Amino acid sequence: MSTVKKGADARGKAKTTEGKSAATREAIVRAALEVFSAHGFEGASTRQIAALAGENQGLITYHFSSKENLWKAAVDSVFAGVQRELSERAKVLADADIRTRLRLWIIFLVRYAASRPEQMRLMVQEGKADSPRMKWLVDTHIRGPFEMAAPMIREAVDAGILPDAAPVHYFYIIVGACSLFFSSAPEVHRLTGDDPFDDATIEAHAEAVANLVLR
Amino acid sequence: MSTVKKGADARGKAKTTEGKSAATREAIVRAALEVFSAHGFEGASTRQIAALAGENQGLITYHFSSKENLWKAAVDSVFAGVQRELSERAKVLADADIRTRLRLWIIFLVRYAASRPEQMRLMVQEGKADSPRMKWLVDTHIRGPFEMAAPMIREAVDAGILPDAAPVHYFYIIVGACSLFFSSAPEVHRLTGDDPFDDATIEAHAEAVANLVLR
DNA sequence: GTCTATATTATGATAGAC
DNA sequence: GTCTATCATAATATAGAC
């Protein structure tokens, strides 16, 4: 906090120039995530994003220079959370037994999918083709979590807790099992009347997956 | 087959006028499915679809009158197969034991997801919001399969084959487990070097899910 | 850093010749 | 049924005032 040029502005934000800039950037990223995950990369418009963020369209070019860079920033913002939380957890649980680690991983995945249903949507939307954006996504955000999970899965298979199959299969089986319920939430709601994002329902889903995998 | 006005045309199709019209329609629907599932509804352009189909853009309006109707026709074409095949299978297997039915259902889901990876992409893309398209999707194509699977799941739970949980959870767990591997195929390929659509890999995934669920 | 105005291109849909 | 040409609108990105 150094040179304060303005005080609180019309929207009630009291920030330094740099602080204001960062806040604008953040607001745009947040809006971008919502719009990109709802409409896909091509379907999303920068005007729509600017409008949702309550900022000017010209600022998108200023802060991100292109729609593609904005997309990357938005994706970074969803994955930043998982990566960090997961590796923290991994450290703490390094010496727990394999069943406990698997169960907690699954519960984590379900809660994360429930708190950020956009993530799986982004993955599925980009998973359509082997594009440059796809390469970037895998190298930057998928390989890490996969390489953390693979040894755990292998260990469970060796211990006879899981039937024999390659880790990739289990990775996508478990991620799919944990996530689809939430990335199809309005569908679930229309089908049964339940709200998937209700706390009790989230826990029920976590229990269902964990109990199915570990028995 | 009645009044033949033209013979084989430039692209080598020998058709009646009605036959030609139907073939055009079909070509457009096939292209639309590909483009919609790759780019989502808003991201897809009718020009792109027409170009891929090798047909004129004006014909889209002629045959479908709007982009929305074309989307519905494309979705119908993916789901038509599942619905029919599933209900046929259901009849044949009505008196098989519950484990066999569950196993065959899973194998069917995996093979279907592998043969039409677009389906899950379409579902996830529309699952973003409770839109009119979403309502149409659920009412026309989701409720049927769900109501076919639910009693089977309930039976498996009652028989002690599956841990206790509501059918909706199992439905999305199993569909997610069977599908994500294929709707993220380029991602899987980049991650491990394997081709998910290789026959042996498809069977390996089916076995992995079936063995995990049934033990 | 933020805003307005605009150049350029692409979109969905229509009109009308054949 | 199929095609070309076109309308009206909306898109990304830029230029330049403040």
Side-chain angles (χ1 to χ4, degrees):
Chain A
M1 298 275 188
S2 49
T3 49
V4 179
K5 280 190 183 171
K6 307 191 213 175
D9 71 5
R11 281 186 302 287
K13 295 176 199 153
K15 291 284 159 79
T16 62
T17 18
E18 307 88 36
K20 178 69 177 74
S21 173
T24 301
R25 229 191 104 97
E26 216 179 294
I28 293 174
V29 168
R30 225 194 324 274
L33 180 59
E34 199 168 323
V35 178
F36 278 132
S37 81
H39 303 103
F41 180 78
E42 297 96 339
S45 88
T46 55
R47 293 169 134 79
Q48 198 182 356
I49 292 168
L52 183 64
E55 304 287 350
N56 190 283
Q57 195 228 344
L59 288 174
I60 289 182
T61 309
Y62 175 75
H63 284 289
F64 303 94
S65 75
S66 76
K67 190 183 178 182
E68 175 130 352
N69 281 339
L70 174 56
W71 180 84
K72 287 185 180 175
V75 173
D76 279 342
S77 81
V78 223
F79 279 91
V82 221
Q83 197 87 322
R84 191 171 30 74
E85 286 190 47
L86 252 182
S87 61
E88 260 175 43
R89 240 158 249 244
K91 260 178 245 156
V92 175
L93 295 168
D95 35 47
D97 73 293
I98 179 67
R99 291 184 67 91
T100 306
R101 272 182 291 151
L102 254 182
R103 170 170 277 271
L104 289 175
W105 180 54
I106 289 170
I107 291 174
F108 172 79
L109 282 179
V110 169
R111 291 196 185 144
Y112 207 85
S115 75
R116 322 218 83 158
E118 315 90 14
Q119 184 169 333
M120 196 213 195
R121 248 198 295 283
L122 285 166
M123 276 173 58
V124 170
Q125 272 159 354
E126 286 312 312
K128 73 206 173 190
D130 205 351
S131 65
R133 278 204 306 281
M134 164 62 214
K135 173 175 165 30
W136 178 88
L137 222 189
V138 171
D139 292 343
T140 325
H141 293 299
I142 311 282
R143 202 178 299 279
F146 174 67
E147 287 181 349
M148 197 223 73
M152 182 168 65
I153 291 167
R154 238 185 290 269
E155 193 181 334
V157 170
D158 289 344
I161 290 166
L162 295 175
D164 190 35
V168 223
H169 289 114
Y170 276 119
F171 185 74
Y172 284 91
I173 285 171
I174 292 175
V175 172
C178 291
S179 309
L180 185 61
F181 187 70
F182 301 101
S183 36
S184 303
E187 188 179 302
V188 172
H189 179 70
R190 190 165 278 281
L191 213 48
T192 66
D194 297 346
D195 174 15
F197 297 118
D198 184 84
D199 281 347
T201 311
I202 295 172
E203 290 313 306
H205 197 72
E207 280 303 303
V209 179
N211 292 339
L212 181 70
V213 172
L214 298 158
R215 14 182 186 166
Chain B
M1 299 278 188
S2 48
T3 51
V4 179
K5 279 191 185 169
K6 308 192 214 175
D9 72 7
R11 280 186 302 287
K13 297 175 200 153
K15 289 286 158 78
T16 62
T17 17
E18 307 90 36
K20 180 68 176 74
S21 173
T24 302
R25 230 191 103 98
E26 217 178 293
I28 294 174
V29 168
R30 224 193 324 273
L33 180 60
E34 198 168 323
V35 178
F36 278 131
S37 82
H39 303 103
F41 181 79
E42 297 96 337
S45 88
T46 55
R47 292 171 135 82
Q48 198 182 354
I49 292 168
L52 183 64
E55 304 287 348
N56 191 281
Q57 195 229 342
L59 288 175
I60 289 181
T61 311
Y62 175 75
H63 285 288
F64 303 95
S65 75
S66 77
K67 189 184 180 184
E68 175 130 350
N69 281 337
L70 174 57
W71 180 84
K72 287 185 179 175
V75 173
D76 279 342
S77 81
V78 223
F79 279 91
V82 222
Q83 196 88 321
R84 190 172 31 75
E85 285 190 49
L86 252 183
S87 60
E88 261 175 41
R89 241 156 247 245
K91 262 178 245 159
V92 174
L93 295 170
D95 36 47
D97 73 293
I98 179 67
R99 290 183 67 90
T100 307
R101 272 184 289 151
L102 255 182
R103 171 169 276 270
L104 290 175
W105 180 53
I106 288 170
I107 292 174
F108 172 79
L109 282 180
V110 169
R111 291 195 187 146
Y112 207 85
S115 74
R116 321 217 85 161
E118 314 91 12
Q119 183 166 337
M120 196 213 195
R121 249 196 297 281
L122 285 166
M123 278 174 56
V124 170
Q125 271 158 356
E126 286 311 312
K128 73 208 172 187
D130 206 350
S131 65
R133 277 204 306 280
M134 165 61 214
K135 174 175 164 28
W136 177 89
L137 221 189
V138 171
D139 292 343
T140 323
H141 294 298
I142 311 283
R143 202 177 301 279
F146 174 66
E147 288 182 346
M148 199 222 73
M152 184 168 63
I153 292 167
R154 239 184 290 268
E155 194 181 331
V157 171
D158 289 345
I161 291 167
L162 295 176
D164 191 34
V168 221
H169 290 113
Y170 277 120
F171 186 74
Y172 284 91
I173 285 172
I174 292 175
V175 172
C178 291
S179 310
L180 185 61
F181 187 71
F182 302 102
S183 35
S184 303
E187 188 179 303
V188 172
H189 179 71
R190 190 165 279 280
L191 213 47
T192 65
D194 297 344
D195 174 14
F197 297 117
D198 184 83
D199 280 346
T201 312
I202 296 172
E203 290 313 307
H205 196 72
E207 280 303 303
V209 179
N211 291 339
L212 181 70
V213 173
L214 296 159
R215 10 182 189 168

